[in-house]
Amino acid sequence: MAQIPASSDRQFSDGTEIWYSLKCAISTSSGFQRWQLERDAQLHGIRLEQQVQRYLRETLETLAY
């Protein structure tokens, strides 16, 4: 039987892996790519991670209305 590591042992690592996977999935989605095209000038020089964060924030703000 496989041992499950304690949550404190893997918490940071799991969070990093999850964020990386989520960031990859979001950045390849058609919605994100369309969002990038609409904001091309605003996103110049901004790292992908920051773009994904901004996209998520704007999407959640829109959904909150």
Side-chain angles (χ1 to χ4, degrees):
M1 183 186 279
Q3 283 192 325
I4 300 172
S7 62
S8 61
D9 295 342
R10 298 222 5 132
Q11 184 176 5
F12 180 74
S13 178
D14 286 348
T16 302
E17 291 172 24
I18 291 169
W19 170 242
Y20 177 78
S21 296
L22 182 60
K23 180 175 60 172
C24 289
I26 290 170
S27 66
T28 59
S29 72
S30 60
F32 178 77
Q33 292 173 1
R34 184 173 46 252
W35 177 86
Q36 277 184 311
L37 289 173
E38 292 170 358
R39 290 159 182 78
D40 184 48
Q42 298 171 352
L43 300 175
H44 185 70
I46 297 177
R47 294 179 325 174
L48 180 62
E49 182 166 346
Q50 292 171 315
Q51 291 180 34
V52 170
Q53 289 173 350
R54 186 180 291 183
Y55 170 75
L56 289 173
R57 184 175 55 250
E58 288 183 18
T59 301
L60 290 173
E61 287 173 353
T62 300
L63 292 173
Y65 292 115

